[in-house]
Amino acid sequence: MTAQTPANLSQSEPAVSRFAAAIKAGEFLITAEVMPPKGGDPKDMLEMAQGLKNRVHAVNITDGSRAVVRMSPVVASAILWQNGIEPICQIACRDRNRIGLQADLMGAHALGIRNILALTGDPVNAGDHPDAKSVFDLESVRLLKLINSLNQGFDWNYNPLTNGPTNLFAGAAVDPQSKSWSGLQSRFEKKVEAGAQFFQSQLICDFDRLDKFMLEIAAGSNKPILAGIFLLKSAKNAAFINRCVPGVNIPDSIISRLANAKNQLREGMLIAAEQVKMASQICHGVHLMAVKREDLIPEILDLAGISPL
């Protein structure tokens, strides 16, 4: 992954997204999630991301996940890019109006960032500033439309971008385990129509449901789906996620398996590896989430039989 810094970035020769190239080539896609620092020093973030080199196609940088204050995802993504790591920069609508969103997207393009995951964003009452004011001027579908407009050379109000269009590769989130099947289908189709080029899912535990989603909703869209695989560190961690993360239902069988294991972290790694294998038979890739233990992702991939890129 060769970085292209702002000094040598050219509008006429846009940075090539390795992730987009892997999609075009039909590779089994692997991404992983890393949180920006809570503070001004990116050392720990870089260390975690560098451990993923040659194991993932791109590294997701979160945008105020769970409404907790962290470094700007655009800045954090640029730091990764300048260090030879291809980012997928998450952009959420919670904290910015349409002016701020456009400013950040144009800035991301200028810094060489190409992959964007368009999100609505978590509610502020879930985080560390529950009294903050939410914006939600747009939501994820309209954010995808905005990105498409910028790529065509126009702002939200169809005014021309006098200093050139963007060249952003936009994706979106999807939850195959949604309780509303019709709502899931409608939302997925709207995101495809709005310009989503790939989808990363929420945490997946029900692989039968994922298979049904792939066959009945995603089939024919020609858009890659990456299944969200979460490293469960312990039975306590799994129970906490069930209790605090909306829409997630980790089965009792998995929690019991963790509780009965001599080494719960190791058992969680084995479970994640098994899920990677299951996903490889159903969809186009996996999106790995191992909060604060991203260093274990390469070993999880080894356990799943996934060779380095």
Side-chain angles (χ1 to χ4, degrees):
M1 290 181 279
T2 302
Q4 193 167 5
T5 63
N8 61 25
L9 185 64
S10 168
Q11 293 286 342
S12 60
E13 296 178 334
V16 174
S17 165
R18 179 182 182 183
F19 180 60
I23 290 174
K24 187 175 181 180
E27 296 180 30
F28 183 72
L29 304 166
I30 307 167
T31 59
E33 194 165 282
V34 172
M35 289 187 294
K38 190 173 177 64
D41 187 351
K43 179 182 176 182
D44 290 342
M45 176 193 72
L46 263 178
E47 183 178 329
M48 287 295 189
Q50 285 172 337
L52 300 173
K53 272 189 176 182
N54 303 317
R55 298 311 306 258
V56 304
H57 292 96
V59 173
N60 275 55
I61 293 294
T62 59
D63 182 9
S65 177
R66 298 188 67 241
V68 173
V69 170
R70 290 186 178 273
M71 182 182 287
S72 157
V74 173
V75 173
S77 294
I79 291 169
L80 292 195
W81 182 237
Q82 292 166 7
N83 283 272
I85 302 161
E86 181 162 320
I88 297 175
C89 181
Q90 296 186 2
I91 297 289
C93 299
R94 181 191 59 238
D95 305 323
R96 310 167 183 84
N97 65 15
R98 64 194 69 186
I99 298 172
L101 288 166
Q102 289 175 97
D104 279 356
L105 289 164
M106 289 186 285
H109 169 90
L111 290 168
I113 298 163
R114 291 296 176 264
N115 307 309
I116 302 291
L117 190 73
L119 301 170
T120 298
D122 298 323
V124 294
N125 59 12
D128 57 0
H129 286 64
D131 296 327
K133 291 184 179 180
S134 299
V135 180
F136 293 120
D137 189 20
L138 305 180
E139 45 66 53
S140 57
V141 173
R142 289 194 292 169
L143 178 55
L144 287 164
K145 291 179 180 178
L146 169 60
I147 294 169
N148 186 56
S149 182
L150 294 176
N151 285 344
Q152 298 301 315
F154 298 93
D155 68 15
W156 181 260
N157 287 332
Y158 304 104
N159 299 310
L161 300 180
T162 54
N163 295 111
T166 60
N167 181 24
L168 301 171
F169 189 69
V174 66
D175 184 8
Q177 297 172 151
S178 172
K179 291 181 180 178
S180 172
W181 197 248
S182 61
L184 171 62
Q185 181 168 6
S186 173
R187 192 78 174 157
F188 179 80
E189 290 173 352
K190 286 178 180 177
K191 289 182 178 182
V192 171
E193 184 179 357
Q197 299 299 311
F198 65 94
F199 288 85
Q200 292 174 321
S201 91
Q202 309 290 0
L203 185 160
I204 293 290
C205 288
D206 188 341
F207 285 84
D208 289 336
R209 183 81 167 180
L210 175 63
D211 189 46
K212 182 180 179 182
F213 167 77
M214 293 300 301
L215 293 172
E216 296 185 10
I217 294 179
S221 69
N222 199 32
K223 305 300 179 186
I225 311 296
L226 283 73
I229 307 297
F230 196 95
L231 172 60
L232 300 169
K233 304 179 188 72
S234 65
K236 182 179 179 181
N237 176 226
F240 171 82
I241 291 170
N242 266 353
R243 186 172 65 253
C244 298
V245 180
V248 172
N249 183 21
I250 299 168
D252 290 340
S253 58
I254 289 181
I255 296 177
S256 297
R257 179 175 166 184
L258 287 164
N260 294 329
K262 290 183 179 179
N263 184 330
Q264 294 191 25
L265 177 59
R266 181 68 180 178
E267 197 67 24
M269 293 172 65
L270 292 171
I271 291 169
E274 291 166 11
Q275 291 176 336
V276 170
K277 290 180 181 179
M278 286 189 284
S280 70
Q281 302 300 312
I282 297 172
C283 59
H284 308 95
V286 290
H287 175 57
L288 295 159
M289 295 165 278
V291 180
K292 297 182 181 180
R293 291 310 311 263
E294 292 88 348
D295 57 301
L296 297 177
I297 288 175
E299 188 173 355
I300 291 170
L301 292 170
D302 288 340
L303 289 169
I306 304 293
S307 301
L309 301 177

